Amino acid sequence: APPPARNGAVAGWPDPTVPREGLPNGRSRRRFLTYVGRIRKAYIQPPMTLLRFRLWSHLRSHPNVTMLAADVPVAVEPYLPPQGAAKQCDACSFRCKQCIALPPSSAGVPLSVGAIAGANFSLSRPEHRSTLADSTFCLVLRGDHEGPGEAFTEALLAGCIPVLIADMPAWPFQRRLDYRKFSFEFHWQKAVDDPESILRRLLSVSASEVAAMQRELQRVRPFFQYHADPSRASAVRQLVRDLCTPPNISGSLASAISQRRHLEDVRIPRGRQRPPLGESSYVGPQAGYPSRAEMYE
């Protein structure tokens, strides 16, 4: 088992309470808003998969934003229309794959701005962790599927306030943790439509609010660490508590179960068109279940 960590520090990650070179104290950060990761190909499942490209293309040249994308040569360059030309189509599809375009604010900015330099187009693990630890806010974005992957845990362990933009029905251990105290969450559609609105909201947060959220991050970050020491808080303990805690069943869901409506066949009949992705594709209401919002409120 790793040695016990003090003050909420996590083994292998920079301790945000320890001053680092160039930083006057542990809570000072060189970067304001940071994203480290891949952009992914926008045509995979639009419009959700446009999220990363839209944020990257609109914010990469902003002085308060650090964008470090690892796949610009393969996920952006091949799918941009020729310089000065309009994008090929209004909606992404597998047919032409050229439905993205740089906004006017960054059209003249080289694609190297916002991309990781070097032959491997990636940061080493210490560089990655140090970059997140020196950032006040970290973008945690959905990709080809609803969840953001390991980026969420990485931001937490680095002591960076997560900015969650995904369509997760619930976040880990949400029944016991108040995410509003240590993170921000935005709807992916709002971020796609107006990427700058995310930055404007974060810039409006006062220093006292940031300090309070960082203190709460320091308290909850051990809950997301895996280790073998049973005397300390850990993700394993939180998972066991989730398994041993009955879910909160709403009245409408309890009624559906009592009337055995949850056993009805809700498969899409052959020949009928599958509903579009989103709330309408959730077949629960057809069987008497409540909506996603009701289930996870």
Side-chain angles (χ1 to χ4, degrees):
R6 302 193 311 177
N7 298 324
V10 176
W13 288 84
D15 187 346
T17 65
V18 176
R20 294 181 294 278
E21 182 180 356
L23 303 180
N25 58 65
R27 292 193 180 89
S28 298
R29 310 290 174 117
R30 292 187 182 96
R31 299 174 175 86
F32 181 74
L33 176 63
T34 296
Y35 175 71
V36 180
R38 298 182 180 274
I39 297 178
R40 304 290 186 186
K41 297 175 181 178
Y43 61 83
I44 297 295
Q45 190 184 357
M48 288 81 75
T49 47
L50 281 168
L51 171 65
R52 295 190 181 190
F53 171 77
R54 290 279 294 173
L55 285 167
W56 176 84
S57 61
H58 281 258
L59 302 180
R60 65 192 179 102
S61 58
H62 196 283
N64 293 107
V65 181
T66 300
M67 284 283 183
L68 296 173
D71 57 349
V72 172
V74 297
V76 176
E77 290 186 41
Y79 307 108
L80 288 174
Q83 189 172 6
K87 60 183 181 179
Q88 298 295 314
C89 50
D90 293 329
C92 280
S93 69
F94 283 93
R95 183 170 301 172
C96 70
K97 301 182 177 68
Q98 290 190 341
C99 53
I100 61 175
L102 297 174
S105 60
S106 68
V109 179
L111 293 179
S112 57
V113 176
I116 298 176
N120 296 325
F121 300 104
S122 63
L123 299 178
S124 66
R125 182 168 295 183
E127 289 174 328
H128 188 171
R129 293 176 173 179
S130 178
T131 299
L132 298 183
D134 279 351
S135 304
T136 301
F137 299 98
C138 289
L139 284 170
V140 178
L141 310 177
R142 66 154 290 152
D144 297 343
H145 53 82
E146 295 85 350
E150 60 188 14
F152 171 63
T153 305
E154 289 174 342
L156 279 171
L157 297 183
C160 182
I161 299 173
V163 180
L164 310 173
I165 307 178
D167 43 355
M168 293 280 287
W171 292 97
F173 321 134
Q174 191 169 340
R175 287 188 286 179
R176 291 180 299 281
L177 300 180
D178 188 349
Y179 274 65
R180 295 169 298 180
K181 293 183 177 180
F182 60 88
S183 68
F184 287 93
E185 184 171 6
F186 299 92
H187 194 278
W188 67 266
Q189 188 66 65
K190 177 182 178 180
V192 168
D193 294 340
D194 187 6
E196 288 89 352
S197 66
I198 308 301
L199 181 59
R200 290 195 298 268
R201 173 66 182 94
L202 298 177
L203 287 171
S204 70
V205 180
S206 67
S208 60
E209 290 179 277
V210 170
M213 298 183 82
Q214 288 176 336
R215 288 193 296 270
E216 184 66 11
L217 262 182
Q218 190 73 2
R219 185 186 72 84
V220 305
R221 66 199 296 256
F223 299 158
F224 295 86
Q225 183 193 18
Y226 289 88
H227 56 75
D229 184 355
S231 66
R232 293 189 288 139
S234 69
V236 174
R237 184 180 298 179
Q238 296 298 317
L239 288 170
V240 171
R241 290 188 63 183
D242 273 352
L243 291 172
C244 297
T245 304
N248 296 324
I249 300 179
S250 63
S252 56
L253 180 56
S255 175
I257 294 175
S258 66
Q259 298 176 33
R260 303 180 66 80
R261 294 201 304 272
H262 63 297
L263 301 178
E264 295 178 9
D265 188 357
V266 294
R267 292 175 295 180
I268 305 298
R270 184 181 296 275
R272 283 187 56 187
Q273 185 177 4
R274 183 174 293 276
L277 291 171
E279 184 66 27
S280 60
S281 68
Y282 176 57
V283 297
Q286 301 175 26
Y289 285 112
S291 67
R292 277 197 178 102
E294 293 174 317
M295 289 179 69
Y296 292 101
E297 64 181 3

